[in-house]
Amino acid sequence: MSHLSEENAQSLYNEFGELKVLDDIIQHRAADDPPAPILAYPRTESSVDDFEYFTGKDLDRLIDGAVKRIIALGLEPNGRKTVGVLAASNLDFIVSFFALSRLGYTVLALSLRIAPTAVANLLKQTDCVHVLHGGTHQILSTAQAVQEILPVTSLPIPVRSDYDRPLSSEPRFAREYDRDAENSRIAVIMHSSGSTGLPKAVMLSHRAILTHPTQGSGLHNFNALPWYHLYGVSTSLQAMWMRKTAHLYNAALPMTSESLVEILETVKPDAVHTVPYVLGLMAEKRRGVELLKRCKVVTGAGARTPDELGDRLVREGVNLGIVFGT
């Protein structure tokens, strides 16, 4: 486990639960008594800072509903295949992300910012022939264009009316598998930006992706990155595993200085994780800088943070850290 001694890692496992597969994060937090909110997402498509909070038990129920919906779509348990997700980074995405993993699939998280040819190339690279897609015009257009390039089965991503089912006597989904063997299987496939050519797939086993939660700061955070960005997944999992709340931006809304400041005012996060462009939006407003100064940690990832922006925030007293790499 990178950056952690065996003793420190075991201490974290003793407190938050051992991690072998992605679903362990949900299972451990679903067993908490009392339950703690570990994820917050805006309540409606027009909400900026009106968050709905989900405990591990809530998410476990939603994921179980999504598992059953995905099976009904024709994806059987233990398929040992890769399934792409081409959808907005919202609650449906996150629930489906964990549901596919619970079923034994590898999740290929596809950025909405890349062209159909790039999507098709990633599907070829990863031998992926099934894609869960969102319902916006842009996504449907991309999915159609991809199908014209190569044969792929395109399925609608489960939405809340599909998976938000009340507790019932219906048996919960359970899959038999070897946890040690699963630990070394590919859990998630992210990809490079494609800024210098076609995007390249980045394979992450359960073991690899689960080093990320153990590197967390144990802070409630606001995460302005989508879940098809590795740092977005990483920082969310860090908070969730450590019984802290990962607050996510509303994927249905444009990102503006005003909305970001509203969220910082309401949430009062201990940590903010973002990319340089969004960090710049926050810093456009004097109030935004003041709110960032109150955070224990502010990080920028992905592209290089401009020196002028970084230097100004540090001079103002923001505890800023920069993360490099995919």
Side-chain angles (χ1 to χ4, degrees):
M1 190 170 293
S2 59
H3 311 306
L4 281 181
S5 69
E6 190 173 331
E7 182 180 358
N8 287 340
Q10 191 57 55
S11 175
L12 287 171
Y13 281 164
N14 291 342
E15 183 172 359
F16 301 112
E18 186 179 20
L19 297 174
K20 287 280 190 178
V21 296
L22 262 175
D23 196 39
D24 284 342
I25 293 174
I26 302 300
Q27 299 290 353
H28 288 317
R29 298 292 68 84
D32 285 340
D33 187 17
I38 59 172
L39 181 73
Y41 191 79
R43 198 173 298 277
T44 69
E45 288 197 347
S46 60
S47 298
V48 173
D49 59 348
D50 179 17
F51 285 92
E52 182 176 5
Y53 287 81
F54 301 90
T55 66
K57 189 168 291 187
D58 294 330
L59 288 174
D60 184 46
R61 177 178 61 82
L62 298 180
I63 291 163
D64 187 69
V67 161
K68 290 165 182 172
R69 174 59 180 163
I70 290 169
I71 292 173
L73 289 172
L75 295 176
E76 295 295 329
N78 283 319
R80 304 298 186 197
K81 297 176 182 176
T82 298
V83 177
V85 181
L86 182 69
S89 181
N90 55 20
L91 183 65
D92 298 338
F93 187 110
I94 293 164
V95 169
S96 296
F97 179 96
F98 282 109
L100 286 168
S101 189
R102 184 173 287 186
L103 279 162
Y105 288 93
T106 295
V107 180
L108 168 60
L110 294 161
S111 170
L112 298 183
R113 301 188 179 102
I114 60 175
T117 51
V119 173
N121 185 63
L122 285 166
L123 297 178
K124 288 178 183 176
Q125 284 183 47
T126 58
D127 295 322
C128 178
V129 296
H130 292 89
V131 175
L132 295 183
H133 65 80
T136 68
H137 175 75
Q138 177 208 346
I139 292 171
L140 291 173
S141 176
T142 298
Q144 178 62 40
V146 169
Q147 286 184 309
E148 292 172 3
I149 299 171
L150 80 165
V152 60
T153 300
S154 198
L155 304 167
I157 193 168
V159 295
R160 191 153 183 182
S161 58
D162 295 323
Y163 58 74
D164 192 353
R165 304 174 177 184
L167 288 172
S168 68
S169 58
E170 184 181 353
R172 309 280 284 176
F173 172 80
R175 178 172 66 96
E176 291 187 8
Y177 61 94
D178 183 323
R179 286 171 54 79
D180 289 323
E182 196 85 353
N183 181 246
S184 62
R185 288 191 66 248
I186 300 300
V188 179
I189 303 175
M190 310 301 285
H191 59 80
S192 62
S193 65
S195 56
T196 58
L198 288 172
K200 294 179 175 59
V202 179
M203 314 281 188
L204 295 161
S205 65
H206 286 272
R207 182 187 298 117
I209 193 73
L210 290 174
T211 62
H212 292 244
T214 63
Q215 311 300 323
S217 53
L219 299 173
H220 296 291
N221 69 32
F222 168 56
N223 190 330
L225 298 106
W227 270 45
Y228 44 78
H229 190 298
L230 179 57
Y231 197 57
V233 176
S234 172
T235 49
S236 295
L237 295 183
Q238 288 172 356
M240 293 167 72
W241 182 57
M242 292 185 169
R243 300 190 185 96
K244 301 300 181 182
T245 309
H247 297 79
L248 305 184
Y249 194 85
N250 191 335
L253 296 179
M255 212 166 271
T256 66
S257 297
E258 291 76 14
S259 60
L260 289 163
V261 170
E262 278 186 57
I263 291 167
L264 295 179
E265 288 270 21
T266 300
V267 172
K268 299 177 176 59
D270 296 318
V272 170
H273 304 296
T274 185
V275 292
Y277 169 72
V278 178
L279 189 62
L281 289 177
M282 294 177 182
E284 279 183 9
K285 305 287 185 183
R286 182 65 208 169
R287 184 59 180 159
V289 175
E290 291 299 321
L291 291 166
L292 289 174
K293 286 167 62 176
R294 296 181 183 181
C295 299
K296 294 178 181 177
V297 177
V298 176
T299 64
R304 182 176 180 272
T305 300
D307 291 343
E308 182 182 356
L309 173 61
D311 290 346
R312 177 164 69 89
L313 290 175
V314 170
R315 281 197 307 270
E316 292 277 2
V318 176
N319 186 22
L320 178 65
I322 304 301
V323 179
F324 293 99
T326 300

